[in-house]
């Protein structure tokens, strides 16, 4: 792909505004996500069920948006679409300041959900262009670390703010979030715009993407990986506190451990993996997930409270290594497996797998958790086994998965 705004060198200093935009975006998200339900309950007369229904409806209606904009990315480049996503989310959060009815929350939440889907659909296209071959795992790893630390910092701000519990504090959180997306929009102006080179073959459009039998296993693998990622927010804390009866701080410790490890260890680990075959590293990542799930299951058989806490934290460490190892490689394989002229559509399809996982994970994981410890953790072990199998499959048929990490 060409860069319409000038030549690109994969230098953090050269693209510091893009990195800054990612930081600001993630801090904004980290500020609001933990208090989203609390905000609407504090500022409207709606019930918990009504708010939940509005947010779920918005999430489901946003699912088709990512694939729809894939063609726009291929035609006009990722930058203007990224900026449009920033504006949509700024508008959505501004709308939260005046909503009072279920349908109004649904509309504003749809703008935010659609904006997130569009953002992450374009994100991979931009990173692939900014970082040349051989450096993409490091870039995806770096930005993943930055996002994770941003979420944590935003969550810390929220914890302090919510301790006051006033209406004005909740409003301030939303205002800050809206301003964060406007700031990201401005910073994105300095990001080079990625477009396919003139004359590249984009014939076939979505039909060509959906007929690419080598890429569909890549998308299926992304779905398995994403399901495991959602377990951190949905299943692990509830299991530790409500099922095992561990102290409430255990859930916070798991989140902190995950955040610190991803934020500070991921870059080092990706560097140490240089030269390894990507598909084999993906298999190792799923093995780490599976080991973590088995440790969570084992904690249910431990009588001593302190020992159970230790087993859960050990499981969280293994789980987090799965995220650290697999995250940057999964993103790189998905991006490099797509032809330049259709990368927007390909990555939009890949992002759809993440959106689908996000839509079904709350109901599926909570349902399994209510059935019992064995049901949820053995099911997730099965998901990891399927993910490892798909990683092996793409390692045989997808050149990007056969490549070595850090290879040009």
């Amino acid at each position: 792909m060409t860069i319409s705004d000038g030549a690109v060198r994969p230098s953090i200093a050269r693209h510091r505004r893009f990195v800054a935009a990612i930081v600001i975006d993630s801090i904004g998200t980290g500020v609001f996500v933990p208090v989203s339900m609390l905000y609407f309950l504090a500022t409207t007369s709606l019930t918990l069920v009504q708010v939940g229904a509005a947010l779920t409806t918005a999430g489901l209606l946003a699912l088709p948006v990512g694939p729809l904009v894939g063609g726009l990315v291929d035609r006009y480049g990722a930058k203007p679409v990224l900026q449009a996503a920033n504006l949509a989310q700024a508008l959505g959060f501004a709308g939260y300041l005046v909503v009072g009815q279920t349908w109004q929350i649904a509309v504003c939440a749809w703008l935010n959900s659609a904006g997130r889907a569009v953002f992450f659909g374009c994100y991979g296209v931009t990173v692939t262009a900014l970082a040349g071959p051989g450096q993409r795992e490091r870039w995806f790893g770096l930005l993943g670390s930055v996002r994770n630390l941003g979420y944590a910092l935003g969550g810390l701000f929220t914890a302090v703010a919510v301790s006051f519990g006033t209406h004005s504090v909740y409003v301030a959180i939303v205002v800050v979030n809206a301003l964060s997306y406007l700031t990201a929009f401005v910073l994105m102006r300095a990001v080079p715009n990625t477009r396919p080179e003139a004359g590249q073959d984009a014939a076939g459009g979505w039909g060509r993407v959906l007929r690419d039998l080598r890429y569909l296993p890549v998308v299926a693998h992304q779905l398995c990986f994403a399901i495991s990622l959602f377990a951190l927010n949905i299943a692990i804390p509830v299991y530790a506190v409500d099922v095992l009866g561990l102290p409430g701080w255990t859930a916070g410790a798991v989140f902190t451990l995950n955040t610190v490890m991803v934020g500070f260890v991921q870059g080092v680990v990706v560097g140490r993996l240089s030269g390894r075959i990507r598909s084999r590293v993906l298999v190792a990542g799923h093995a780490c997930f599976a080991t973590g799930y088995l440790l969570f299951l084992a904690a249910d058989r431990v009588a001593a409270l302190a020992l159970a806490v230790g087993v859960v934290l050990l499981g969280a460490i293994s789980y987090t290594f799965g995220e650290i190892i697999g995250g940057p490689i999964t993103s790189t394989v998905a991006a490099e497996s797509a032809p330049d002229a259709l990368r927007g559509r390909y990555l939009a399809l890949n992002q759809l797998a993440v959106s689908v996982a996000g839509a079904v994970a709350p109901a599926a994981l909570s349902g399994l958790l209510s059935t019992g410890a064995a049901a949820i953790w053995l099911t997730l072990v099965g998901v990891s086994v399927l993910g490892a199998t798909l990683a092996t499959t793409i390692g045989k048929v997808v050149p990007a998965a056969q490549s070595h990490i850090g290879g040009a």
Side-chain angles (χ1 to χ4, degrees):
M1 301 182 86
T2 60
I3 306 300
S4 61
D5 296 350
V8 168
R9 295 173 59 188
S11 162
I12 295 176
R14 181 180 176 89
H15 302 298
R16 59 186 179 277
R17 292 192 179 184
F18 176 67
V19 176
I22 298 298
V23 172
I24 292 171
D25 175 277
S26 59
I27 290 176
T29 301
V31 165
F32 186 73
V33 168
V35 298
S36 55
M37 296 294 288
L38 294 174
Y39 171 79
F40 294 116
L41 293 176
T43 60
T44 72
S45 60
L46 300 176
T47 66
L48 181 65
V49 173
Q50 289 174 312
V51 174
L55 296 178
T56 299
T57 300
L60 292 174
L61 292 177
L63 287 179
V65 174
L68 287 176
V69 301
L72 296 177
V73 174
D74 291 331
R75 183 171 182 178
Y76 299 107
K79 175 181 171 179
V81 183
L82 273 172
Q83 290 186 292
N86 289 142
L87 289 180
Q89 290 172 95
L91 181 60
F93 277 101
Y96 283 164
L97 296 173
V98 296
V99 297
Q101 300 182 38
T102 304
W103 70 268
Q104 294 172 333
I105 293 178
V107 170
C108 293
W110 178 83
L111 283 172
N112 289 320
S113 298
R116 295 304 293 172
V118 171
F119 177 87
F120 282 110
C122 301
Y123 169 78
V125 178
T126 304
V127 175
T128 303
L130 295 181
Q135 298 179 326
R136 286 166 183 154
E137 294 94 348
R138 289 180 177 272
W139 267 86
F140 279 115
L142 167 69
L143 294 175
S145 299
V146 163
R147 289 207 319 271
N148 222 56
L149 292 174
Y151 295 151
L153 186 58
L156 179 62
F157 289 158
T158 295
V160 174
V162 171
S163 65
F164 294 95
T166 64
H167 182 278
S168 59
V169 166
Y170 285 114
V171 170
I173 289 173
V174 172
V175 170
V176 167
N177 220 327
L179 291 176
S180 75
Y181 288 112
L182 289 177
T183 304
F185 170 83
V186 174
L187 290 171
M188 285 288 181
R189 294 177 60 186
V191 176
N193 190 28
T194 58
R195 297 180 184 177
E197 294 178 0
Q200 283 189 339
D201 183 15
W206 272 108
R208 180 178 166 188
V209 176
L210 297 175
R211 289 191 300 270
D212 189 342
L213 298 181
R214 293 192 304 177
Y215 196 75
L216 295 182
V218 174
V219 177
H221 173 268
Q222 177 69 75
L223 178 63
C224 291
F225 191 80
I227 289 173
S228 282
L229 292 184
F230 282 109
L232 177 67
N233 292 321
I234 298 169
I236 298 175
V238 176
Y239 175 72
V241 177
D242 290 349
V243 176
L244 296 181
L246 302 181
W249 59 260
T250 308
V254 168
F255 281 117
T256 301
L257 191 61
N258 176 270
T259 299
V260 170
M261 287 181 64
V262 174
F264 294 103
V265 178
Q266 189 167 60
V268 176
V269 171
V270 172
R272 293 291 181 88
L273 291 173
S274 181
R276 305 296 179 94
I277 296 175
R278 289 170 175 168
S279 62
R280 295 179 182 176
V281 173
L282 291 177
V283 172
H286 288 290
C288 289
F289 278 143
T291 301
Y293 299 145
L294 291 175
L295 285 168
F296 293 143
L297 179 58
D300 190 41
R301 308 292 194 270
V302 176
L305 183 65
L307 184 57
V309 171
V311 173
V312 167
L313 294 180
L314 188 61
I317 291 173
S318 180
Y319 168 91
T320 302
F321 268 113
E323 179 181 351
I324 288 172
I325 293 171
I329 315 305
T330 298
S331 299
T332 302
V333 169
E336 291 190 354
S337 299
D340 285 353
L342 291 171
R343 184 164 285 130
R345 291 177 175 89
Y346 271 78
L347 291 186
L349 178 63
N350 194 64
Q351 179 59 32
L352 179 61
V354 179
S355 299
V356 169
V360 303
L365 294 179
S366 60
L368 287 168
L369 192 56
S370 66
T371 304
I376 184 167
W377 301 124
L378 293 180
T379 297
L380 285 172
V381 167
V383 170
S384 297
V385 171
L386 178 58
T389 303
L390 288 166
T392 301
T393 299
I394 62 179
K396 296 177 180 177
V397 299
V398 178
Q402 297 166 350
S403 300
H404 295 266
I405 295 175

